[in-house]
Amino acid sequence: MPELPEVETMRRGVLGLVGGRIESFEKLACQRRPIGITPTAGVLKKKLVGHTVERIDRLGKRVLLVLDDQSRLMFEPRMTGLVLISDPPTLDHLRVRLTFSGSPHTELLYWDRRGLGSVRWFSAEQFENEFHQGRLGPDALDVDAVTFRQKFATTRQPIKVALLDQRRIAGIGNLYASEILHLAKVHPARPCSELSTQAWKRIHACMVEVLELAIRYEGSTLSDGTYRNALNQNGSYQNEHRVYAKQGDVCRSCGKAVIVRTVQAQRATFHCPRCQKAK
């Protein structure tokens, strides 16, 4: 967490900053583990102040402010970061504040409980070199079914593990991979190269369905309560989860089997052994 639906919710929550002029950039005093800020806060302030926000994009699990000189300020929330416009969950985990004029919102805050996220600035050229040279796969909501299959079909990796590889497809994380495969009725341990054309079509369609619905519900706020939208409010897609963290519960789809928890590549996986047969 957060994954594509949560980050897209953050992006939409700060769209009011488009057209706003950056008046200040401040790295806030924090006694917690420091986040990565590149370049230094002093240099960032010089590069940002006076520029206006042309648009706000999402790149996989990252929020990007695209400025009038085509440079980008990128927020990567990683495990516990939040991009907010008001009401941070706590004050002692606030990391960065930007203030704006000429927009409905006067500030943008970056909050990070564990300090695993980062704030980075890229010139247009740097951004192109970093992200448009095959280092990040196509976005999970933009890729067509044919290209999607091509990204995975020849590997022997288990499908659940492969879906987490951001070089193949951008935006899917551990939670939504389990949910997508359950809806598609595909066992998470099936090698990609053994899946049929029809299975790939189902996975692609279910990926779009799950992610779009999760965005509509503004993401998933889990039991730790960390993820919040840009207004510091809970998402509600957690109420729609079918398998994630449901081990021991009866499957909502078949009403007979019990959800199983396994570990793949050091990550928890959840599936229904009746709906998602191994062969």
Side-chain angles (χ1 to χ4, degrees), residues 89-105:
T90 62
L91 295 179
D92 56 343
H93 297 94
L94 271 179
R95 310 303 185 128
V96 163
R97 176 186 289 115
L98 286 87
T99 61
F100 295 82
S101 61
S103 64
H105 310 311

Side-chain angles (χ1 to χ4, degrees), residues 57-225:
D57 291 346
R58 178 184 53 77
L59 181 69
K61 303 176 189 179
R62 307 162 182 86
V63 175
L64 300 170
L65 303 190
V66 183
L67 306 183
D68 52 10
D69 63 354
Q70 297 307 299
S71 66
R72 271 86 163 167
L73 184 65
M74 185 176 81
F75 297 88
E76 186 169 9
R78 304 282 296 218
M79 291 295 291
T80 60
L82 299 174
V83 178
L84 304 162
I85 56 173
S86 65
D87 300 325
T90 62
L91 295 179
D92 56 343
H93 297 94
L94 271 179
R95 310 303 185 128
V96 163
R97 176 186 289 115
L98 286 87
T99 61
F100 295 82
S101 61
S103 64
H105 310 311
T106 58
E107 65 179 9
L108 180 148
L109 305 170
Y110 180 70
W111 180 96
D112 197 328
R113 189 181 68 190
R114 293 177 61 186
L116 300 175
S118 64
V119 178
R120 291 191 284 169
W121 177 90
F122 297 89
S123 68
E125 182 180 4
Q126 288 171 335
F127 182 77
E128 181 71 22
N129 291 337
E130 180 79 11
F131 293 106
H132 289 173
Q133 302 295 326
R135 299 181 185 180
L136 193 68
D139 190 83
L141 283 180
D142 293 335
V143 66
D144 62 82
V146 173
T147 303
F148 177 72
R149 183 186 181 190
Q150 290 172 347
K151 290 290 182 180
F152 296 94
T154 60
T155 180
R156 292 285 304 169
Q157 270 191 315
I159 178 60
K160 160 66 175 2
V161 176
L163 283 173
L164 304 184
D165 185 350
Q166 301 300 295
R167 294 167 298 181
R168 296 182 188 276
I169 198 82
I172 299 175
N174 201 49
L175 189 165
Y176 292 101
S178 286
E179 292 293 311
I180 290 163
L181 292 176
H182 178 265
L183 188 62
K185 300 186 184 302
V186 173
H187 193 283
R190 287 287 302 277
C192 291
S193 57
E194 294 183 5
L195 293 172
S196 67
T197 299
Q198 289 304 312
W200 282 112
K201 288 181 179 179
R202 288 201 313 274
I203 296 169
H204 179 266
C206 292
M207 174 179 71
V208 174
E209 180 179 342
V210 167
L211 296 177
E212 288 186 344
L213 185 60
I215 292 169
R216 196 181 314 162
Y217 281 91
E218 297 198 318
S220 300
T221 299
L222 303 182
S223 57
D224 64 4

